[in-house]
């Protein structure tokens, strides 16, 4: 809309306002991740692993993709794209990990020989994080073809998340900044006209003093 005043840059806000925005950007994903973890431990998962579980996992991965697309659009329209980008990354990754943790738990609950040992919910989440971080301690390993296929899907999905989703979100942050006339991350901020005017006035005063 014409005549709309652009929002102030983050560095131009008061210290209190800036801290409130940072706190909100960090608090939202923390609360979301906490709610997801609580749901992972509280919700009943007593059904056996079946084709329905696979369909649910696929739907969940599609939901993660849709969340990335929605967050990307939100970032480009946000007055503070950097903060929104942090919020998006901190929300998408926990959901991705918990989906696979739930799948591994149901697999181990349905059939004992899916993995090298029985898995509790904490064991399944621990195994998911080790696979995602490529640490691979080797204390828990997939034993059947189905379990190995699920782990390969997580590996591939993790590479997509790190290589594509992060790049898309970072690109959305840069697009949002460019819409506001701000430089992207790593760029140099252009001096505002009033700063140049102040410097010009100082140079004029110094020349007058020399005369």
């Amino acid at each position: 809309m014409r005549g709309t005043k652009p929002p102030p840059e983050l560095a131009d806000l008061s210290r209190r306002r800036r801290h409130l925005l940072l706190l909100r950007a960090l608090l939202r994903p923390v609360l979301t991740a906490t709610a997801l973890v609580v749901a992972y431990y509280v919700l009943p998962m007593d059904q056996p692993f079946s084709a329905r579980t696979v369909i649910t996992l696929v739907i969940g991965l599609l939901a993660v993709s849709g969340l990335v697309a929605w967050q990307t659009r939100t970032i480009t329209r946000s007055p503070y794209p950097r903060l929104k980008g942090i919020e998006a990354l901190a929300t998408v990754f926990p959901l991705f990990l918990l989906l696979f943790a739930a799948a591994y738990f149901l697999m181990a609950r349905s059939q004992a020989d899916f993995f090298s040992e029985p898995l509790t919910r904490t064991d399944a989440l621990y195994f998911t994080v080790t696979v995602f971080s490529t640490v691979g301690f080797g204390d828990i390993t997939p034993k059947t073809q189905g379990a190995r296929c699920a782990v390969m899907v997580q590996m591939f999905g993790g590479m997509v998340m790190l290589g594509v989703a992060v790049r898309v979100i970072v690109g959305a942050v840069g697009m949002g900044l460019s819409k506001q006339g701000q430089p992207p991350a790593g760029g140099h901020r252009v001096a505002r006209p009033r700063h140049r005017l102040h410097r010009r006035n100082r140079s004029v005063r110094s020349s007058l003093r020399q005369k």
Side-chain angles (χ1 to χ4, degrees):
M1 181 181 295
R2 295 182 179 180
T4 303
K5 185 179 180 180
E9 298 181 21
L10 190 62
D12 296 332
L13 296 175
S14 64
R15 187 175 182 179
R16 181 182 178 184
R17 177 62 176 168
R18 187 164 59 247
H19 286 174
L20 287 175
L21 287 174
L22 290 172
L23 180 62
R24 187 172 63 180
L26 294 176
L27 191 59
R28 282 181 179 177
V30 168
L31 293 177
T32 302
T34 302
L36 290 173
V37 172
V38 170
Y40 169 75
Y41 278 99
V42 171
L43 292 178
M45 291 191 288
D46 51 359
Q47 68 273 19
F49 184 82
S50 59
R52 182 179 179 181
T53 309
V54 177
I55 294 174
T56 304
L57 178 61
V58 172
I59 294 175
L61 293 176
L62 292 176
V64 171
S65 302
L67 180 61
V68 172
W70 178 77
Q71 290 281 17
T72 300
R73 185 177 182 182
T74 305
I75 291 169
T76 58
R77 298 182 176 184
S78 173
Y80 304 106
R82 290 189 181 95
L83 298 181
K84 199 65 179 177
I86 295 174
E87 182 179 339
L89 291 174
T91 303
V92 170
F93 281 99
L95 179 59
F96 175 80
L97 295 175
L98 289 171
L99 281 173
F100 279 96
Y104 295 147
F105 174 74
L106 291 175
M107 292 173 70
R109 183 183 178 88
S110 176
Q111 190 172 337
D113 61 349
F114 266 118
F115 296 92
S116 56
E117 61 181 69
L119 300 183
T120 64
R121 300 192 190 208
T122 301
D123 294 333
L125 182 58
Y126 159 79
F127 176 69
T128 306
V129 174
T130 57
V131 172
F132 180 77
S133 60
T134 67
V135 174
F137 292 113
D139 49 349
I140 301 175
T141 55
K143 292 297 184 181
T144 64
Q145 296 296 315
R148 290 172 179 172
C149 288
V151 172
M152 285 191 294
V153 171
Q154 188 202 338
M155 291 177 178
F156 179 75
M159 289 187 293
V160 171
M161 289 286 293
L162 292 174
V164 177
V166 174
R167 181 173 296 183
V168 168
I169 291 176
V170 172
V173 172
M175 185 180 300
L177 292 173
S178 63
K179 286 183 177 180
Q180 299 176 13
Q182 303 180 34
H188 299 285
R189 184 178 176 181
V190 180
R192 294 196 171 186
R194 64 172 182 268
H195 295 164
R196 293 197 297 266
L197 182 60
H198 292 333
R199 288 197 297 269
R200 187 180 302 173
N201 291 337
R202 286 197 298 268
S203 62
V204 170
R205 293 193 193 101
S206 61
S207 62
L208 290 175
R209 290 173 184 173
Q210 292 176 359
K211 292 180 179 180

